[in-house]
Amino acid sequence: MRADMNLTAHTLKQQNIDDRHRYQDLCLLFDQTFAQNENTRLIKGNGEPVYLPAGNKHDHHQIVFAHGYFASALHEVSHWCIAGKQRRLLEDYGYWYCPDGRNNQQQEEFEQVEIKPQAIEWAFSVAVQKPFRVSSDNLHGAQADTLAFHAKVQQQALNYLQQGFPLRAQQFIRVLQDFYLSPPLCPKDFSSPELTPSRESNGTI
């Protein structure tokens, strides 16, 4: 983290509690950590979230999160943290997103690929001292077994805690901990998150 950075833990402590979780802070922290080494920036979008590789329209890869939602930014960064080098050269990492309204099989497939990102997002949320919500994101489709999904995300988070988070995730966790003055992660941090059937308010993929 650069010494001339405008945002510091000291200025954060002076902010009103309602202003502690600003997407602008996440964008600055992410860009200072990854813009040069990974040629990637975190960008506030005006619509649905999307990952855009560098091309004719922009020099940097862009992680575009929805509408300035803080939780959306954390979630989109978590996907980027586990995407491989070749995947990061493709729009949305080359994946096709099946929207809300999934049947049982589609929901099972969706949750399977969401376990690791949501486990990382949970760690990010702990680092910024913000409540985390496990999300099955299928409000208008087949009823999800939210408790079972929560257990899988929880177990993955504990596995990461014991075995190590992916490199870029670990880097960002440390940056967030330094900025938000949060203690090291521990098992009790991954106990009982809020459960929600939808991620509409977060605008995540």
Side-chain angles (χ1 to χ4, degrees):
M1 197 178 301
R2 295 200 311 248
D4 62 348
M5 154 177 160
N6 292 326
L7 293 169
T8 68
H10 297 292
T11 59
L12 178 66
K13 290 179 68 176
Q14 296 173 358
Q15 292 176 348
N16 185 283
I17 189 64
D18 293 335
D19 295 329
R20 293 189 73 236
H21 297 113
R22 305 186 324 129
Y23 75 83
Q24 295 91 337
D25 297 345
L26 289 182
C27 291
L28 181 57
L29 293 170
F30 183 92
D31 290 359
Q32 288 177 336
T33 307
F34 298 113
Q36 182 173 352
N37 292 338
E38 299 289 348
N39 193 37
T40 305
R41 299 189 61 202
L42 182 61
I43 304 293
K44 171 187 173 292
N46 295 317
E48 292 300 310
V50 64
Y51 172 78
L52 299 172
N56 295 331
K57 295 184 179 180
H58 40 81
D59 296 331
H60 290 80
H61 307 306
Q62 296 186 356
I63 303 171
V64 182
F65 62 99
H67 305 292
Y69 292 139
F70 193 92
S72 175
L74 293 182
H75 185 76
E76 298 312 313
V77 172
S78 74
H79 274 282
W80 176 79
C81 285
I82 62 174
K85 184 176 181 179
Q86 294 304 313
R87 286 284 184 187
R88 300 199 304 276
L89 297 177
L90 303 174
E91 182 172 333
D92 261 349
Y93 314 111
Y95 292 117
W96 175 74
Y97 173 65
C98 186
D100 189 350
R102 294 177 290 273
N103 60 33
N104 287 319
Q105 180 179 349
Q106 291 170 329
Q107 182 62 20
E108 288 179 7
E109 294 172 351
F110 169 84
E111 291 182 358
Q112 188 61 37
V113 299
E114 278 288 315
I115 292 171
K116 289 183 177 180
Q118 291 201 31
I120 293 172
E121 181 189 353
W122 193 346
F124 289 161
S125 298
V126 172
V128 302
Q129 303 178 35
K130 184 176 177 63
F132 168 71
R133 295 182 177 184
V134 167
S135 175
S136 56
D137 194 24
N138 201 33
L139 187 63
H140 303 294
Q143 185 172 0
D145 188 346
T146 309
L147 291 178
F149 181 50
H150 155 242
K152 294 176 182 178
V153 174
Q154 179 185 42
Q155 186 58 56
Q156 181 61 62
L158 293 172
N159 289 346
Y160 277 144
L161 188 62
Q162 182 178 22
Q163 301 169 11
F165 285 85
L167 178 59
R168 296 190 302 278
Q170 185 60 60
Q171 286 179 276
F172 201 47
I173 288 169
R174 288 172 179 167
V175 168
L176 295 174
Q177 288 172 328
D178 287 344
F179 184 75
Y180 288 92
L181 303 177
S182 56
L185 301 177
C186 65
K188 70 178 181 179
D189 292 324
F190 304 99
S191 54
S192 299
E194 298 180 54
L195 303 179
T196 176
S198 172
R199 195 177 283 274
E200 284 185 336
S201 62
N202 298 350
T204 56
I205 64 174

